[in-house]
Amino acid sequence: MKSICLQQFIFSLLIGLLISCGHTTNVNDEIDTYDEWELGKNQPYNFKSVTSLPEGYNLDFVGYLSRHSSRYMTKPKEDVVLYNLFENAKLNNGLKKNGKHLFEEIKLLLKVQRDNYGTLSSNGEEEHKLLGQRMANLAPEFFNSNPKIKSTSTLISKTQDSRANFQEGISSKVNRPKFINITYDDYNDPILRAFKISPSYQSYIDSANWQIYIDEYQNTAQYKELRDQILDKLFTESYIKLLEDKKKKFYDMEHNLIIANKNDIVNNLFKCFKISHNLPEGFGPNLEIFTAEDSKILSHVDNIKSYYTKGPGFKNSDISYKHAITFLKYMHSNINSYIDGRSDYQGNFNFAHSTTVVPVLVLLNLDQYKEMEMEQWNESEMSKMATNLTWLVLEKEGEKFIQIRWNENPVQLPLKEINEHYLYSYEEYDAYISKILSVYGLKDSRSNYNDILLSL
């Protein structure tokens, strides 16, 4: 306890000392356009278009699952460790001119994030407000009918704030629906945080069996050449040798080893660079030491980890995404309860994390993502901030249909389409979900979701 308090005191003292630090010029004058960057799961939500509802169909029910929007770092970690690294390099005359400039930007990142760790940035607040506005504009008659909507989030504040911003966006365009907000307990959330509860998934994550592929990639000539070019701009040769000889190691506030080699430095610099793109332009630090092409090379590490931790994963294994079965069952039960007249909720909105959303997309095999090879997987597309799935139950002449959207546009199910709008018979969709549930010995009747996760 004393150690933790001391660490918190030291961090507060460090931030206090930085308040008087100035903001210097950028390290790299090359500025790339926003759309060219690949920033992994820190990619801001880049809205492109939204598809209108098919003509002649009435909206009956809306299901929604979204990751939280753009944010600051979850806690003091990479930024503080980099500060310690650069401070040590400075004391050992190990910083070049560009390194000294970058050190000032790292100090600024610490200042900007002070009291903001784990919260949404103003960019993030705007992302979900705009998503809510576009949702309202998609079906104004539906929302003006004052539907009753269950709206859940995890206990994490950024998901609750994303929910509030989404609701505010909807309410700014139509009459405010009857939102019934539910916030799950952090330690008992088998629907939105199944990845934290499933013992088999946690054991899989602890194994980190995919690390061999990351190590192989970081040993390629392309990666090593870029890494060495970046470090050569910042540090003296003698200081880099200290790292290579393992004479310098840097830990976070919980005493986890974060930087022990050259790859670790670049990885942590890139993490800080990525988070800076979640902040308003001109507000945060200028960490533009990477080009857009650099970001594509470095983010491939994110692609590998994402593919094996929340994507299709290893061949003949579903361990990376099968925990999503609890959410899929939950959503399907809610839709069927409304269709069968057992519930008066016409909507079910959920705000969670990328490790909630992406496995659902894979489990449903939307756009055949379950069959995707590692080389095709792009974390910047799959797990971007506020990435979202929408279930639209539509009615025409007494018959029910469903359309599923990923990031506001219809996606394909492995079913027979009704028309070019990726519209499917609800009866066929219901049978498809029942088939998925049966793989895990489940039915569409209510049961204990914790028990389901324990049995996977």
Side-chain angles (χ1 to χ4, degrees), residues 11-151:
F11 176 67
S12 299
L13 181 62
L14 169 63
I15 293 295
L17 290 171
L18 292 176
I19 292 297
S20 60
C21 293
H23 183 188
T24 64
T25 57
N26 62 305
V27 172
N28 193 333
D29 291 328
E30 182 176 351
I31 305 297
D32 295 275
T33 60
Y34 169 80
D35 286 337
E36 292 177 317
W37 296 109
E38 288 193 8
L39 306 172
K41 67 178 183 179
N42 294 112
Q43 189 83 22
Y45 190 82
N46 50 340
F47 168 71
K48 294 178 181 177
S49 66
V50 59
T51 304
S52 300
L53 292 179
E55 192 173 344
Y57 293 81
N58 297 316
L59 181 59
D60 268 5
F61 184 98
V62 181
Y64 189 75
L65 173 62
S66 177
R67 184 192 182 197
H68 60 77
S69 42
S70 294
R71 56 164 173 78
Y72 293 88
M73 285 181 171
T74 55
K75 60 183 178 180
K77 189 174 181 179
E78 292 87 0
D79 52 352
V80 174
V81 176
L82 281 176
Y83 174 89
N84 292 334
L85 164 68
F86 276 76
E87 176 69 14
N88 182 269
K90 180 181 177 182
L91 292 173
N92 286 276
N93 296 316
L95 289 180
K96 292 183 177 179
K97 181 179 179 181
N98 283 341
K100 293 174 183 177
H101 283 316
L102 186 60
F103 190 20
E104 297 304 315
E105 302 300 329
I106 292 169
K107 292 177 184 177
L108 180 61
L109 180 61
L110 280 164
K111 287 167 57 179
V112 166
Q113 296 204 115
R114 183 189 188 193
D115 300 326
N116 289 315
Y117 289 103
T119 66
L120 301 180
S121 65
S122 58
N123 284 9
E125 293 172 356
E126 191 70 8
E127 283 169 349
H128 261 113
K129 285 178 186 176
L130 292 174
L131 277 162
Q133 289 176 1
R134 292 194 294 270
M135 174 71 83
N137 289 335
L138 183 67
E141 290 184 5
F142 173 82
F143 288 104
N144 277 324
S145 69
N146 202 24
K148 186 179 177 183
I149 298 174
K150 186 186 296 183
S151 189

Side-chain angles (χ1 to χ4, degrees), residues 216-231:
E216 286 176 358
Y217 177 70
Q218 290 182 324
N219 200 40
T220 61
Q222 181 188 44
Y223 185 91
K224 290 195 294 184
E225 181 181 355
L226 174 59
R227 176 200 66 194
D228 293 343
Q229 285 176 356
I230 292 167
L231 295 181

Side-chain angles (χ1 to χ4, degrees), residues 190-201:
I191 296 170
L192 297 184
R193 286 171 68 82
F195 57 92
K196 287 289 187 181
I197 295 177
S198 169
S200 61
Y201 182 72

